[in-house]
């Protein structure tokens, strides 16, 4: 009879114990190391942070936008920890000095060549299950944005250059050139 292989389950404590400068996410107890982002990725993060932040400020909104690295503790457990590229949080009670405890209202992930399955599949299902209201997958290589509006159970695709309407804000859209 074969012995069952022991599977290590990591916790948020393990994430905080990583050496300085080493970034990783934790999904269902499995560590996923993150490569440093490239210039195009960072330009997109900056664009979203600026556009969303300016919109919220112009409307005197209650929501806040947080670019990565920003800790999101999706579930009430110690085996899930993510750092979305952009997190928009409208419920201030979810925020403390460590980050966001619970689902952000809107998450944007910018796909890097090495993390496509993570953004397109793993995080898609994790974010949906955690009650994120809206999830954007921005793929610079394909110059496409996939928008999931979980509340309305819709999925739409847009090309760069098109106005992409924001589901959680009526009358707000973003265009990526």
């Amino acid at each position: 009879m074969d012995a069952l292989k022991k599977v290590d389950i990591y916790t948020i404590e393990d994430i905080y114990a990583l050496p300085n400068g080493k970034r990783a996410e934790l999904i269902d107890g499995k560590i996923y190391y993150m490569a440093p982002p490239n210039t195009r990725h960072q330009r997109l993060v900056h664009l979203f942070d600026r556009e969303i932040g300016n919109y919220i400020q112009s409307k005197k909104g209650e929501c806040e936008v947080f670019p990565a690295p920003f800790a999101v503790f999706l579930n009430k457990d110690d085996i899930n920890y993510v750092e979305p590229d952009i997190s928009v949080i409208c419920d201030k009670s979810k925020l403390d000095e460590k980050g966001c405890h619970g689902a952000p209202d809107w998450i944007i992930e910018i796909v890097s060549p090495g993390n496509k399955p993570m953004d397109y599949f793993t995080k898609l299902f994790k974010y949906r299950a955690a009650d994120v209201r809206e999830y954007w997958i921005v793929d610079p290589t394909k110059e496409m944005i996939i928008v999931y509006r979980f509340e309305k159970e819709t999925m739409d695709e847009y090309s760069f250059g098109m106005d992409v309407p924001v589901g959680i804000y009526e009358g707000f859209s973003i265009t990526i050139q």
Side-chain angles (χ1 to χ4, degrees), residues 6-11 14 26 28-30 79:
K6 183 183 181 295
V7 178
D8 287 327
I9 300 292
Y10 294 95
T11 67
D14 296 307
L26 183 68
D28 296 330
K30 184 171 185 203
I79 59 169

Side-chain angles (χ1 to χ4, degrees), residues 67-84:
F70 179 73
V72 173
F73 307 93
L74 272 180
N75 308 90
K76 293 182 193 310
D77 61 33
D78 66 346
I79 59 169
N80 288 286
Y81 167 97
V82 292
E83 291 184 5

Side-chain angles (χ1 to χ4, degrees), residues 45 49 63-70 84-89 95 100:
V45 167
D49 183 32
C63 303
E64 288 187 70
V65 58
F66 295 92
F70 179 73
D85 291 313
I86 296 288
S87 300
V88 177
I89 296 117
L95 296 169
C100 177

Side-chain angles (χ1 to χ4, degrees), residues 23 37-53 65-69 83-87 108-112 138 140 174 176:
R23 288 183 51 214
N38 64 28
T39 302
R40 188 168 190 198
H41 182 280
Q42 288 306 94
R43 282 185 179 131
L44 287 167
V45 167
H46 180 66
L47 168 95
F48 285 116
D49 183 32
R50 187 179 66 243
E51 292 281 325
I52 298 165
V65 58
F66 295 92
E83 291 184 5
D85 291 313
I86 296 288
S87 300
I108 300 172
E109 293 285 7
I110 298 159
V111 178
S112 299
V138 178
I174 298 174
I176 302 170

Side-chain angles (χ1 to χ4, degrees), residues 48 52 55 106 108 134-136 145-149 152 154-159 161-176:
F48 285 116
I52 298 165
Y55 178 82
W106 178 18
I108 300 172
E134 186 162 348
Y135 175 43
W136 289 21
I145 303 115
I146 300 174
V147 175
Y148 292 92
R149 292 181 186 93
K152 295 182 179 175
T154 64
M155 185 273 287
D156 297 296
E157 293 184 14
Y158 300 88
S159 297
M162 295 173 73
D163 276 351
V164 183
V166 177
I168 70 165
Y169 293 117
E170 188 77 28
F172 176 43
S173 63
I174 298 174
T175 305
I176 302 170

